[in-house]
Amino acid sequence: MLDRITKGLDGHFDKHRIVFWYDPGREFRAAFDGLALSRVTKIEVVNTEFAVKHRILREFPKDQFLLYWEGPRPADIDNWLLDVELANVVFKTDQVAIWLSDLGLPIGFEDLVREHQEFFRSSRRMEKLKTVIRGDDTKPALRLKMLALCTGADGGFDTVVEALLTEHAEGRDDSLRVIGRIGLDIFLWEQMARIFGYRPERPSIGDFAITLFKSCYQSAVGGEPILTSDALVFFRRWKNNRNAGEIFAKLAADYAEALGIAEDLAKRDFRTLIEIDYFEEVDRAIIRALVREVSAQTVAQADVLSWVRQRRQSHWYGAYRDLYEAIGFAAEFQQAMAQVALGMASLADGVQRYAKSWFRIDQLYRKFIWHMQKSGQATLMRELSEQVENHYVNSYLLRLNEAWQAHVDGAESWSAAPIPAQRVFYREHVGEFRRRDQKICVIISDALRYEIAEELLGRIRSLDRYEAAIEPVFGSLPSYTQLGMASLLPNDNLQIADNDTATVLVDGQSSQGLENRKKILAKGRPGDRTTALKAEELMGLDKDQARALVRDHDVIYVYHNLIDAIGDKQVSEERVFEAAEDTIEEIVRLVKKLNGANAANMIVTADHGFIYQHRPIEESDFSSAQVEGDAILYRDRRFILGHGLKANHGLRLFTPAQASLQGSVEVLIPKSINRLRRQGSGSRFVHGGATLQEVVVPVVKINKKRQSDTSAVEVEIIGSSNQMITSSQISVRFYQATAVTEKTQSRQLRAGIYAQSGELISDSHDLVFDFRSDNPREREIPIRFLLSRQADAFNDQEVILKLEERHGETSHFREYRTARYRLKRSFSNDFDF
């Protein structure tokens, strides 16, 4: 303090010979005594006015003097030194003057500081205010900065209001009490009235919050807003602020009931709500309506998918993602079912048609069931789920495989030429690489059905520098693990053991277990270095160990088992589609692990597929046919092994020769999708039979390229040249130039209108461009921007519409594309204040 006083006095003595110092509060006696001013004489005036006057005017008329009174300044009529005071200067040393001096504020701010002295008594607040104060600050600007410091906000008035809303939601009013104590409450409510149009007789943050929600909702549904358009801009920014998400959600939940949102929504068409996300109840109303409409098939698939896409922007989308996804897949499933034709000319034709298009229905069914299960909303989804299930089982799964069964019954042998048989996999697919002396890694995932592998294909192809293709092979019969795994090994003879184990012998060698498969693999191509290991063992290797594995071997088989391990147990079979999702993720990691170990060529395949029905199996799904034969060696849900087996109306008999097997073990297969009764095993997830879902086995070939081959879609701003903004809002269309594919990926952008100084003067929108449609009109997004009050300062100037892209997972954005507009508004038409 002494330094500040000294500095202040030095400034006065630069211009005046005599300085008067009154200390009405008797606070600065110690400071006066401690002063050491060069060439200045200190005099304390204590009823010595005449002597002092004679000394400073007569005796030493050129010397400098500091005259100090410990006490209040005398009234002018009693002040015998008034003429000298008026000719010189008074040094003000009250606390207000010190604060002004400390902050570098001119004397014109004295009334502000005196009005809010409680604020400046806090040294912490003073130090923080010093860091943000500017020389050109006005009194309102300074008060706004003081408000921000009281609330812990770090920006303009919007952030002050956000901070107060946060405290209100948390049941606190600490900042509001501080604001009242320091006298800033009047200024706060003046700004609320000026900016947001909030003018109640008794203002409060709670009342403002509910009024804000009410006003914005009324505006969204076509009613008259209570507050200004600036309030809506603030509301949207606050809603979309990641840091404010929980607070917004809590207040929305608190006010939804008070405002009767559910009752109001019940009277509205859900189509008018698609762009609204101010209350969680809006999402619930839309979802209930979509479930009802999709179940009744009264809405077009394209519309459903468009609505689901739009709802991704909802504040509540994360909580309802699986419901929206399930509804979207249900709509796609219905469309696919409406267009499907299930006829085929032969076994080969059936396999080709399944691999080209029919698999998609199984895929859509799986995705629907998976998201429905994840949503945990069985009651809500019951009607739609039952409809999808009925269509899938009765109109697709049963019809398709009955049509297929006619060709199975008519086939003399189990062959679908020119579709290659699974048992030539090693010779044709592995051999393709080995004949070129290229290393090959094969991932065999138990029960990786064709449609799951096709989804995996898309995931692999979306990775940078990865190329992949899929083709079908005709699975061995019966379609069970032992035979499927044996068929993928090098083999001349495949034989089912003549006992009750269902073990398969490859050239006389048991193929059961990893060690036996290693031995068989080693007999494949002379000179090849081969090995086999489990997926978890591979993932457990460090980088050097993985590279050594690839370096030291020409052929590597990796065995992965998740789908079959989960689905083949009665207690867990309903989680088989969850296992399918996890399998895709795990195989992607396996592929990346192998590539990181310098493996360039990989194949993903399976031993067999499966059929699955989500609802419990009905009596009609079990075969009524009697199993008869001389000897029953092995019995499963979908096949029987034995000797002297008898075919009948419900069972198709295959001799070893007909099944392209050696030995004497015969096979009985239930026709179509029927199951055989078997105590203690699951019945919804089954394999071993001859359905397309069981025997169309995928072969996915993966290659890693040297050069990058992925890119993001380009986005354009439509009609942006030489445009004027003449009101408080503007509609803009954004166009995705090309459709999204595996190699041309989606792009996420943030859009807003900015002043040339960089200040955001509108609401901001997060946009996802992931359209897959080939129709250009279906790749447009219309957005309506609302200008904030800050835009007033930039009228008749050029402003910039910016599209910005987030840098990775950071909070930083880079400019992607811009368009310039001229802001030329008539404010009287836009605002009611």
Side-chain angles (χ1 to χ4, degrees):
M1 182 186 292
L2 192 59
D3 289 341
R4 291 199 298 268
I5 292 175
T6 301
K7 184 177 179 181
L9 288 170
D10 284 342
H12 284 315
F13 281 115
D14 286 343
K15 301 175 182 178
H16 301 279
R17 187 171 73 85
I18 301 169
V19 176
F20 286 68
W21 184 1
Y22 299 108
D23 183 9
R26 295 177 170 82
E27 302 173 76
F28 300 101
R29 179 54 186 261
F32 173 75
D33 292 341
L35 278 174
L37 302 171
S38 60
R39 298 186 303 278
V40 175
T41 302
K42 299 190 302 180
I43 298 176
E44 181 180 2
V45 182
V46 185
N47 296 321
T48 55
E49 285 84 354
F50 286 112
V52 169
K53 192 169 190 178
H54 184 271
R55 183 178 179 185
I56 62 178
L57 297 181
R58 296 292 186 181
E59 296 180 24
F60 305 100
K62 296 184 179 180
D63 288 4
Q64 291 184 311
F65 293 92
L66 174 62
L67 307 185
Y68 172 78
W69 277 261
E70 187 179 30
R73 177 182 180 277
D76 288 351
I77 196 170
D78 297 322
N79 189 350
W80 298 100
L81 292 175
L82 180 61
D83 55 337
V84 181
E85 176 186 316
L86 294 174
N88 288 276
V89 68
V90 176
F91 175 53
K92 293 187 177 181
T93 55
D94 67 346
Q95 191 63 62
V96 170
I98 292 175
W99 287 330
L100 285 170
S101 175
D102 200 15
L103 293 170
L105 292 172
I107 193 67
F109 281 79
E110 180 179 359
D111 59 336
L112 182 151
V113 176
R114 289 194 184 280
E115 183 180 350
H116 307 297
Q117 290 186 56
E118 185 66 25
F119 176 93
F120 299 96
R121 289 195 175 96
S122 166
S123 59
R124 181 180 59 84
R125 287 196 293 262
M126 280 285 289
E127 291 304 314
K128 288 185 177 181
L129 186 59
K130 283 182 190 178
T131 65
V132 297
I133 205 167
R134 291 175 49 180
D136 60 350
D137 278 338
T138 61
K139 289 181 182 179
L142 185 60
R143 285 190 170 97
L144 179 56
K145 290 177 179 179
M146 292 163 63
L147 269 181
L149 291 176
C150 290
T151 58
D154 58 359
F157 189 69
D158 282 9
T159 62
V160 170
V161 179
E162 284 187 27
L164 293 174
L165 289 171
T166 297
E167 287 198 356
H168 173 69
E170 294 172 348
R172 299 185 293 113
D173 62 353
D174 306 17
S175 296
L176 206 59
R177 284 190 286 108
V178 171
I179 289 169
R181 193 167 67 245
I182 65 180
L184 278 172
D185 48 340
I186 294 175
F187 176 76
L188 169 68
W189 299 118
E190 285 176 348
Q191 298 309 299
M192 286 287 209
R194 183 179 69 86
I195 297 173
F196 298 141
Y198 176 67
R199 300 182 179 89
E201 290 185 11
R202 299 179 63 184
S204 70
I205 292 298
D207 180 66
F208 168 74
I210 194 170
T211 303
L212 179 66
F213 274 89
K214 182 178 181 180
S215 176
C216 293
Y217 177 75
Q218 285 186 188
S219 175
V221 296
E224 286 295 321
I226 303 169
L227 305 178
T228 66
S229 59
D230 256 35
L232 179 56
V233 173
F234 163 78
F235 184 78
R236 289 183 177 178
R237 286 186 190 172
W238 175 50
K239 172 179 66 70
N240 296 330
N241 183 345
R242 293 183 180 183
N243 298 326
E246 290 185 11
I247 296 302
F248 174 83
K250 182 182 186 307
L251 291 179
D254 290 346
Y255 300 145
E257 184 175 354
L259 295 175
I261 298 301
E263 292 79 4
D264 183 78
L265 291 171
K267 297 179 286 186
R268 300 186 183 277
D269 188 320
F270 76 93
R271 296 166 182 81
T272 66
L273 307 174
I274 294 298
E275 295 183 4
I276 305 173
D277 67 339
Y278 302 161
F279 296 95
E280 188 174 4
E281 189 58 41
V282 175
D283 280 272
R284 293 173 178 162
I286 290 173
I287 288 168
R288 283 193 292 265
L290 284 175
V291 169
R292 184 172 59 251
E293 298 284 349
V294 174
S295 298
Q297 299 189 45
T298 54
V299 285
Q301 174 227 358
D303 289 337
V304 175
L305 297 184
S306 175
W307 295 327
V308 169
R309 275 196 81 266
Q310 287 179 268
R311 292 312 294 173
R312 291 183 196 173
Q313 308 303 318
S314 167
H315 182 85
W316 320 96
Y317 180 73
Y320 296 101
R321 177 192 304 271
D322 288 299
L323 284 170
Y324 282 120
E325 290 290 324
I327 290 167
F329 283 119
E332 287 191 80
F333 173 83
Q334 289 176 345
Q335 180 79 357
M337 287 296 300
Q339 297 175 344
V340 72
L342 299 176
M344 67 200 82
S346 64
L347 291 178
D349 186 42
V351 172
Q352 289 168 339
R353 288 175 178 268
Y354 183 82
K356 183 178 180 180
S357 62
W358 292 338
F359 76 87
R360 180 65 175 156
I361 294 178
D362 291 303
Q363 194 175 74
L364 291 170
Y365 172 75
R366 172 174 60 84
K367 300 297 283 187
F368 168 77
I369 295 295
W370 161 232
H371 285 290
M372 184 200 68
Q373 287 177 311
K374 275 187 72 183
S375 75
Q377 297 293 331
T379 302
L380 172 65
M381 299 292 285
R382 180 178 293 122
E383 181 180 356
L384 183 56
S385 177
E386 288 178 354
Q387 187 214 68
V388 169
E389 187 76 23
N390 287 336
H391 278 309
Y392 177 72
V393 175
N394 298 323
S395 302
Y396 169 70
L397 192 61
L398 186 57
R399 281 181 52 211
L400 172 66
N401 285 295
E402 284 181 344
W404 168 254
Q405 187 65 43
H407 295 284
V408 173
D409 288 343
E412 294 184 3
S413 63
W414 186 244
S415 172
I419 308 297
Q422 185 182 31
R423 65 177 299 170
V424 302
F425 170 83
Y426 189 89
R427 185 182 71 211
E428 296 298 323
H429 295 289
V430 176
E432 173 189 345
F433 293 94
R434 293 308 303 138
R435 285 188 288 273
R436 297 194 298 260
D437 288 325
Q438 293 178 324
K439 293 177 181 288
I440 180 66
C441 298
V442 179
I443 300 170
I444 303 169
S445 184
D446 202 325
L448 182 72
R449 190 161 69 171
Y450 189 90
E451 55 89 5
I452 302 171
E454 196 277 340
E455 183 178 347
L456 169 68
L457 174 75
R459 284 289 306 278
I460 297 294
R461 284 180 52 81
S462 69
L463 300 175
D464 191 25
R465 296 189 294 160
Y466 280 88
E467 188 54 75
I470 190 171
E471 58 185 278
V473 294
F474 197 47
S476 299
L477 199 67
S479 56
Y480 73 112
T481 299
Q482 283 292 323
L483 182 55
M485 292 296 184
S487 299
L488 297 171
L489 294 166
N491 66 84
D492 290 321
N493 294 289
L494 291 179
Q495 177 180 342
I496 299 175
D498 194 357
N499 55 41
D500 61 359
T501 64
T503 300
V504 176
L505 308 178
V506 177
D507 301 333
Q509 163 91 44
S510 170
S511 62
Q512 188 168 13
L514 184 63
E515 292 306 316
N516 284 328
R517 292 174 191 171
K518 280 185 180 182
K519 294 175 184 177
I520 297 168
L521 195 58
K523 298 176 181 178
R525 182 173 182 259
D528 276 357
R529 300 168 298 169
T530 64
T531 192
L533 69 165
K534 292 183 178 179
E536 49 268 33
E537 184 181 349
L538 173 61
M539 293 305 295
L541 299 179
D542 63 28
K543 193 171 185 178
D544 290 338
Q545 291 170 329
R547 285 183 172 177
L549 175 73
V550 174
R551 182 192 65 225
D552 297 339
H553 297 93
D554 303 310
V555 178
I556 300 171
Y557 270 38
V558 180
Y559 289 97
H560 175 268
N561 184 12
L562 184 58
I563 296 174
D564 203 65
I566 295 293
D568 216 19
K569 298 181 180 67
Q570 187 174 11
V571 295
S572 61
E573 63 177 349
E574 69 174 11
R575 291 170 37 221
V576 68
F577 287 166
E578 175 186 350
E581 297 286 331
D582 292 340
T583 289
I584 292 172
E585 297 297 329
E586 290 185 12
I587 293 177
V588 169
R589 288 197 291 269
L590 286 168
V591 167
K592 289 181 176 180
K593 178 86 172 185
L594 288 167
N595 179 252
N598 298 322
N601 301 303
M602 290 157 277
I603 296 175
V604 179
T605 189
D607 49 352
H608 54 75
F610 61 87
I611 51 177
Y612 178 80
Q613 297 167 237
H614 182 62
R615 70 183 177 196
I617 299 303
E618 298 176 359
E619 187 65 28
S620 59
D621 292 317
F622 288 100
S623 175
S624 60
Q626 296 298 312
V627 177
E628 297 178 311
D630 298 337
I632 306 297
L633 299 176
Y634 188 89
R635 184 185 185 108
D636 206 290
R637 288 287 192 194
R638 292 284 291 157
F639 67 99
I640 299 291
L641 302 178
H643 295 295
L645 300 178
K646 304 292 190 293
N648 57 44
H649 69 281
L651 299 169
R652 168 68 156 94
L653 173 66
F654 286 89
T655 65
Q658 288 175 318
S660 298
L661 299 172
Q662 281 68 48
S664 59
V665 176
E666 298 170 335
V667 182
L668 274 180
I669 302 290
K671 294 185 178 181
S672 188
I673 63 172
N674 290 329
R675 281 86 159 156
L676 296 171
R677 298 182 185 280
R678 186 184 178 202
Q679 189 67 32
S681 65
S683 57
R684 290 186 281 175
F685 171 92
V686 291
H687 60 87
T691 64
L692 283 162
Q693 287 80 3
E694 294 169 287
V695 301
V696 178
V697 175
V699 174
V700 180
K701 293 182 179 178
I702 302 166
N703 176 257
K704 185 67 179 290
K705 296 181 176 181
R706 293 182 180 272
Q707 294 182 334
S708 176
D709 64 349
T710 59
S711 61
V713 294
E714 295 296 332
V715 177
E716 300 171 4
I717 304 171
I718 299 177
S720 59
S721 60
N722 302 320
Q723 287 203 15
M724 293 278 188
I725 300 178
T726 59
S727 68
S728 62
Q729 56 185 282
I730 179 174
S731 293
V732 179
R733 286 185 299 147
F734 299 98
Y735 171 62
Q736 180 184 307
T738 56
V740 166
T741 65
E742 288 96 344
K743 293 302 182 185
T744 306
Q745 298 173 355
S746 63
R747 192 186 288 272
Q748 297 185 35
L749 299 171
R750 182 177 69 179
I753 299 175
Y754 294 78
Q756 293 194 61
S757 61
E759 180 180 355
L760 179 64
I761 59 172
S762 75
D763 53 350
S764 180
H765 297 263
D766 292 320
L767 308 175
V768 179
F769 294 90
D770 61 354
F771 297 102
R772 294 182 175 273
S773 173
D774 291 326
N775 184 348
R777 291 187 175 276
E778 294 179 358
R779 299 199 302 269
E780 291 184 8
I781 299 180
I783 295 294
R784 182 166 59 96
F785 292 95
L786 295 177
L787 296 182
S788 65
R789 190 180 186 87
Q790 286 94 318
D792 296 2
F794 306 99
N795 198 35
D796 207 26
Q797 295 181 28
E798 194 174 63
V799 295
I800 306 168
L801 168 60
K802 291 184 181 180
L803 280 175
E804 299 175 300
E805 189 166 32
R806 186 185 300 275
H807 179 70
E809 297 298 320
T810 71
S811 59
H812 299 282
F813 287 79
R814 65 173 182 85
E815 190 174 284
Y816 170 71
R817 187 150 292 168
T818 63
R820 295 180 179 271
Y821 295 82
R822 192 77 180 178
L823 185 58
K824 204 169 185 66
R825 299 190 300 158
S826 172
F827 300 123
S828 60
N829 293 332
D830 299 330
F831 300 105
D832 57 359
F833 58 90

Coordinates of all heavy atoms in Angstrom, one line a residue, residues 568-570 573 636-637 676-683:
D568 N -24.2 -72.0 -28.5 CA -24.4 -73.4 -28.4 C -24.8 -73.9 -27.0 O -24.7 -75.1 -26.7 CB -23.2 -74.2 -28.9 CG -23.6 -75.5 -29.6 OD1 -24.8 -75.6 -30.1 OD2 -22.8 -76.4 -29.8
K569 N -25.1 -72.9 -26.1 CA -25.5 -73.3 -24.7 C -26.9 -72.8 -24.5 O -27.2 -71.6 -24.8 CB -24.5 -72.7 -23.7 CG -23.1 -73.2 -23.8 CD -22.2 -72.6 -22.7 CE -20.8 -73.1 -22.8 NZ -20.1 -72.6 -24.0
Q570 N -27.7 -73.6 -23.9 CA -29.1 -73.2 -23.6 C -29.2 -72.0 -22.8 O -30.0 -71.1 -23.0 CB -29.8 -74.4 -23.0 CG -31.3 -74.1 -22.8 CD -32.0 -75.4 -22.3 OE1 -31.4 -76.3 -21.9 NE2 -33.4 -75.4 -22.4
E573 N -27.8 -68.9 -25.2 CA -28.1 -68.8 -26.7 C -28.8 -67.5 -27.1 O -28.6 -67.0 -28.2 CB -28.9 -70.0 -27.2 CG -30.3 -70.1 -26.6 CD -31.1 -71.3 -27.2 OE1 -30.6 -71.9 -28.2 OE2 -32.1 -71.7 -26.7
D636 N -28.0 -85.0 -32.7 CA -28.0 -83.5 -32.4 C -29.3 -82.9 -32.8 O -30.2 -83.6 -33.4 CB -26.8 -82.8 -33.1 CG -26.4 -81.6 -32.4 OD1 -27.1 -80.6 -32.4 OD2 -25.3 -81.6 -31.8
R637 N -29.5 -81.6 -32.6 CA -30.7 -80.9 -33.0 C -30.9 -81.0 -34.5 O -32.1 -81.0 -35.0 CB -30.7 -79.4 -32.6 CG -30.8 -79.2 -31.1 CD -32.2 -79.4 -30.6 NE -32.4 -79.0 -29.2 CZ -33.4 -79.3 -28.5 NH1 -34.4 -80.1 -29.0 NH2 -33.6 -78.8 -27.3
L676 N -34.6 -81.5 -34.2 CA -34.9 -82.7 -33.6 C -34.9 -82.5 -32.1 O -34.2 -81.6 -31.6 CB -33.9 -83.8 -33.9 CG -33.8 -84.2 -35.4 CD1 -32.6 -85.0 -35.7 CD2 -35.1 -84.9 -35.8
R677 N -35.7 -83.2 -31.3 CA -35.8 -83.0 -29.9 C -34.5 -83.6 -29.3 O -34.1 -84.7 -29.6 CB -37.0 -83.7 -29.3 CG -38.3 -83.1 -29.8 CD -39.5 -83.8 -29.2 NE -40.7 -83.3 -29.8 CZ -41.3 -82.1 -29.5 NH1 -40.8 -81.3 -28.6 NH2 -42.5 -81.8 -30.1
R678 N -34.0 -82.8 -28.3 CA -32.8 -83.3 -27.6 C -32.8 -82.7 -26.2 O -32.8 -81.4 -26.1 CB -31.5 -82.9 -28.4 CG -30.2 -83.5 -27.8 CD -29.0 -82.9 -28.5 NE -27.8 -83.4 -27.9 CZ -26.6 -82.8 -28.0 NH1 -26.5 -81.7 -28.7 NH2 -25.5 -83.4 -27.5
Q679 N -32.7 -83.5 -25.2 CA -32.9 -83.0 -23.9 C -31.6 -82.2 -23.5 O -30.5 -82.5 -23.7 CB -33.0 -84.2 -22.9 CG -33.3 -83.9 -21.5 CD -34.7 -83.3 -21.4 OE1 -35.6 -83.7 -22.1 NE2 -34.9 -82.4 -20.4
G680 N -31.9 -81.0 -22.9 CA -30.9 -80.2 -22.3 C -30.1 -79.3 -23.2 O -29.2 -78.6 -22.7
S681 N -30.4 -79.3 -24.4 CA -29.6 -78.4 -25.3 C -30.5 -77.3 -25.8 O -31.8 -77.4 -25.8 CB -29.1 -79.2 -26.5 OG -30.1 -79.6 -27.3
G682 N -29.9 -76.2 -26.3 CA -30.7 -75.0 -26.8 C -31.4 -75.4 -28.1 O -30.9 -76.3 -28.8
S683 N -32.4 -74.7 -28.4 CA -33.1 -75.0 -29.7 C -33.3 -73.7 -30.6 O -33.7 -73.9 -31.7 CB -34.5 -75.5 -29.3 OG -35.2 -74.6 -28.5

